PDB file of all heavy atoms in Angstrom:
ATOM      1  N   THR A 179     124.157  94.157 119.946  1.00  0.00           N
ATOM      2  CA  THR A 179     123.714  94.527 118.605  1.00  0.00           C
ATOM      3  C   THR A 179     124.386  95.841 118.248  1.00  0.00           C
ATOM      4  O   THR A 179     124.359  96.798 119.024  1.00  0.00           O
ATOM      5  CB  THR A 179     122.181  94.670 118.549  1.00  0.00           C
ATOM      6  OG1 THR A 179     121.586  93.403 118.852  1.00  0.00           O
ATOM      7  CG2 THR A 179     121.729  95.128 117.169  1.00  0.00           C
ATOM      8  N   ILE A 180     125.010  95.885 117.087  1.00  0.00           N
ATOM      9  CA  ILE A 180     125.814  97.038 116.689  1.00  0.00           C
ATOM     10  C   ILE A 180     125.203  97.710 115.468  1.00  0.00           C
ATOM     11  O   ILE A 180     124.457  97.091 114.706  1.00  0.00           O
ATOM     12  CB  ILE A 180     127.273  96.621 116.383  1.00  0.00           C
ATOM     13  CG1 ILE A 180     127.312  95.541 115.302  1.00  0.00           C
ATOM     14  CG2 ILE A 180     127.970  96.140 117.652  1.00  0.00           C
ATOM     15  CD1 ILE A 180     128.714  95.167 114.836  1.00  0.00           C
ATOM     16  N   PHE A 181     125.541  98.971 115.296  1.00  0.00           N
ATOM     17  CA  PHE A 181     125.086  99.702 114.107  1.00  0.00           C
ATOM     18  C   PHE A 181     126.163 100.694 113.702  1.00  0.00           C
ATOM     19  O   PHE A 181     126.985 101.125 114.516  1.00  0.00           O
ATOM     20  CB  PHE A 181     123.759 100.430 114.363  1.00  0.00           C
ATOM     21  CG  PHE A 181     123.863 101.576 115.334  1.00  0.00           C
ATOM     22  CD1 PHE A 181     124.148 102.863 114.900  1.00  0.00           C
ATOM     23  CD2 PHE A 181     123.670 101.361 116.700  1.00  0.00           C
ATOM     24  CE1 PHE A 181     124.243 103.919 115.799  1.00  0.00           C
ATOM     25  CE2 PHE A 181     123.769 102.410 117.601  1.00  0.00           C
ATOM     26  CZ  PHE A 181     124.053 103.691 117.153  1.00  0.00           C
ATOM     27  N   ALA A 182     126.164 101.046 112.422  1.00  0.00           N
ATOM     28  CA  ALA A 182     127.126 102.031 111.910  1.00  0.00           C
ATOM     29  C   ALA A 182     126.749 102.422 110.497  1.00  0.00           C
ATOM     30  O   ALA A 182     126.068 101.662 109.776  1.00  0.00           O
ATOM     31  CB  ALA A 182     128.550 101.467 111.928  1.00  0.00           C
ATOM     32  N   VAL A 265     122.601 111.679 111.311  1.00  0.00           N
ATOM     33  CA  VAL A 265     122.816 111.937 112.739  1.00  0.00           C
ATOM     34  C   VAL A 265     121.551 111.633 113.540  1.00  0.00           C
ATOM     35  O   VAL A 265     121.603 111.015 114.622  1.00  0.00           O
ATOM     36  CB  VAL A 265     123.270 113.398 112.959  1.00  0.00           C
ATOM     37  CG1 VAL A 265     123.242 113.738 114.449  1.00  0.00           C
ATOM     38  CG2 VAL A 265     124.660 113.612 112.385  1.00  0.00           C
ATOM     39  N   GLU A 268     121.012 107.779 113.688  1.00  0.00           N
ATOM     40  CA  GLU A 268     122.009 107.167 114.575  1.00  0.00           C
ATOM     41  C   GLU A 268     121.690 107.472 116.040  1.00  0.00           C
ATOM     42  O   GLU A 268     121.844 106.601 116.908  1.00  0.00           O
ATOM     43  CB  GLU A 268     123.403 107.672 114.223  1.00  0.00           C
ATOM     44  CG  GLU A 268     123.973 107.089 112.942  1.00  0.00           C
ATOM     45  CD  GLU A 268     125.391 107.549 112.674  1.00  0.00           C
ATOM     46  OE1 GLU A 268     125.726 108.693 113.066  1.00  0.00           O
ATOM     47  OE2 GLU A 268     126.160 106.781 112.078  1.00  0.00           O
ATOM     48  N   SER A 269     121.233 108.674 116.334  1.00  0.00           N
ATOM     49  CA  SER A 269     120.869 109.032 117.707  1.00  0.00           C
ATOM     50  C   SER A 269     119.682 108.203 118.190  1.00  0.00           C
ATOM     51  O   SER A 269     119.635 107.754 119.346  1.00  0.00           O
ATOM     52  CB  SER A 269     120.537 110.520 117.800  1.00  0.00           C
ATOM     53  OG  SER A 269     121.674 111.302 117.486  1.00  0.00           O
ATOM     54  N   ALA A 272     120.939 104.706 118.940  1.00  0.00           N
ATOM     55  CA  ALA A 272     121.721 104.677 120.186  1.00  0.00           C
ATOM     56  C   ALA A 272     120.825 104.682 121.420  1.00  0.00           C
ATOM     57  O   ALA A 272     121.230 104.218 122.495  1.00  0.00           O
ATOM     58  CB  ALA A 272     122.682 105.861 120.225  1.00  0.00           C
ATOM     59  N   LEU A 277     121.518  98.279 121.907  1.00  0.00           N
ATOM     60  CA  LEU A 277     122.245  98.687 120.707  1.00  0.00           C
ATOM     61  C   LEU A 277     123.413  99.595 121.073  1.00  0.00           C
ATOM     62  O   LEU A 277     123.330 100.375 122.029  1.00  0.00           O
ATOM     63  CB  LEU A 277     121.324  99.430 119.732  1.00  0.00           C
ATOM     64  CG  LEU A 277     120.650  98.570 118.654  1.00  0.00           C
ATOM     65  CD1 LEU A 277     119.623  97.656 119.300  1.00  0.00           C
ATOM     66  CD2 LEU A 277     120.019  99.437 117.569  1.00  0.00           C
ATOM     67  N   ARG A 278     124.484  99.505 120.329  1.00  0.00           N
ATOM     68  CA  ARG A 278     125.623 100.403 120.490  1.00  0.00           C
ATOM     69  C   ARG A 278     126.291 100.607 119.133  1.00  0.00           C
ATOM     70  O   ARG A 278     126.092  99.817 118.195  1.00  0.00           O
ATOM     71  CB  ARG A 278     126.637  99.844 121.488  1.00  0.00           C
ATOM     72  CG  ARG A 278     127.309  98.552 121.058  1.00  0.00           C
ATOM     73  CD  ARG A 278     128.468  98.193 121.978  1.00  0.00           C
ATOM     74  NE  ARG A 278     129.030  96.898 121.666  1.00  0.00           N
ATOM     75  CZ  ARG A 278     129.909  96.662 120.692  1.00  0.00           C
ATOM     76  NH1 ARG A 278     130.304  97.649 119.902  1.00  0.00           N
ATOM     77  NH2 ARG A 278     130.393  95.443 120.496  1.00  0.00           N
ATOM     78  N   ARG A 279     127.108 101.652 119.059  1.00  0.00           N
ATOM     79  CA  ARG A 279     127.843 101.931 117.823  1.00  0.00           C
ATOM     80  C   ARG A 279     128.945 100.902 117.632  1.00  0.00           C
ATOM     81  O   ARG A 279     129.603 100.472 118.588  1.00  0.00           O
ATOM     82  CB  ARG A 279     128.445 103.347 117.871  1.00  0.00           C
ATOM     83  CG  ARG A 279     127.384 104.434 117.958  1.00  0.00           C
ATOM     84  CD  ARG A 279     128.008 105.817 118.040  1.00  0.00           C
ATOM     85  NE  ARG A 279     126.992 106.836 118.307  1.00  0.00           N
ATOM     86  CZ  ARG A 279     126.276 107.447 117.370  1.00  0.00           C
ATOM     87  NH1 ARG A 279     126.494 107.148 116.092  1.00  0.00           N
ATOM     88  NH2 ARG A 279     125.376 108.344 117.696  1.00  0.00           N
ATOM     89  N   ALA A 280     129.179 100.504 116.385  1.00  0.00           N
ATOM     90  CA  ALA A 280     130.170  99.482 116.071  1.00  0.00           C
ATOM     91  C   ALA A 280     131.589 100.036 116.178  1.00  0.00           C
ATOM     92  O   ALA A 280     131.830 101.234 115.980  1.00  0.00           O
ATOM     93  CB  ALA A 280     129.942  98.941 114.663  1.00  0.00           C
ATOM     94  N   GLN A 281     132.523  99.168 116.500  1.00  0.00           N
ATOM     95  CA  GLN A 281     133.941  99.487 116.479  1.00  0.00           C
ATOM     96  C   GLN A 281     134.493  99.242 115.070  1.00  0.00           C
ATOM     97  O   GLN A 281     133.869  98.539 114.268  1.00  0.00           O
ATOM     98  CB  GLN A 281     134.689  98.622 117.496  1.00  0.00           C
ATOM     99  CG  GLN A 281     134.238  98.822 118.934  1.00  0.00           C
ATOM    100  CD  GLN A 281     134.509 100.234 119.424  1.00  0.00           C
ATOM    101  OE1 GLN A 281     135.574 100.776 119.191  1.00  0.00           O
ATOM    102  NE2 GLN A 281     133.531 100.817 120.113  1.00  0.00           N
ATOM    103  N   GLU A 284     134.210  95.724 113.078  1.00  0.00           N
ATOM    104  CA  GLU A 284     133.460  94.791 113.912  1.00  0.00           C
ATOM    105  C   GLU A 284     132.479  93.947 113.102  1.00  0.00           C
ATOM    106  O   GLU A 284     132.241  92.779 113.430  1.00  0.00           O
ATOM    107  CB  GLU A 284     132.728  95.535 115.027  1.00  0.00           C
ATOM    108  CG  GLU A 284     132.202  94.612 116.102  1.00  0.00           C
ATOM    109  CD  GLU A 284     131.751  95.344 117.347  1.00  0.00           C
ATOM    110  OE1 GLU A 284     131.769  96.596 117.355  1.00  0.00           O
ATOM    111  OE2 GLU A 284     131.374  94.660 118.316  1.00  0.00           O
ATOM    112  N   ILE A 605     134.761 101.928 110.299  1.00  0.00           N
ATOM    113  CA  ILE A 605     133.752 101.676 111.331  1.00  0.00           C
ATOM    114  C   ILE A 605     132.620 100.791 110.801  1.00  0.00           C
ATOM    115  O   ILE A 605     132.173  99.867 111.458  1.00  0.00           O
ATOM    116  CB  ILE A 605     133.150 103.007 111.846  1.00  0.00           C
ATOM    117  CG1 ILE A 605     134.247 103.843 112.508  1.00  0.00           C
ATOM    118  CG2 ILE A 605     132.011 102.741 112.823  1.00  0.00           C
ATOM    119  CD1 ILE A 605     134.643 103.413 113.877  1.00  0.00           C
TER     120      ILE A 605
END
Side-chain angles (χ1 to χ4, degrees):
T179 298
I180 57 174
F181 68 90
V265 170
E268 286 184 329
S269 297
L277 267 69
R278 65 170 174 81
R279 297 179 188 273
Q281 299 296 316
E284 193 167 4
I605 297 283

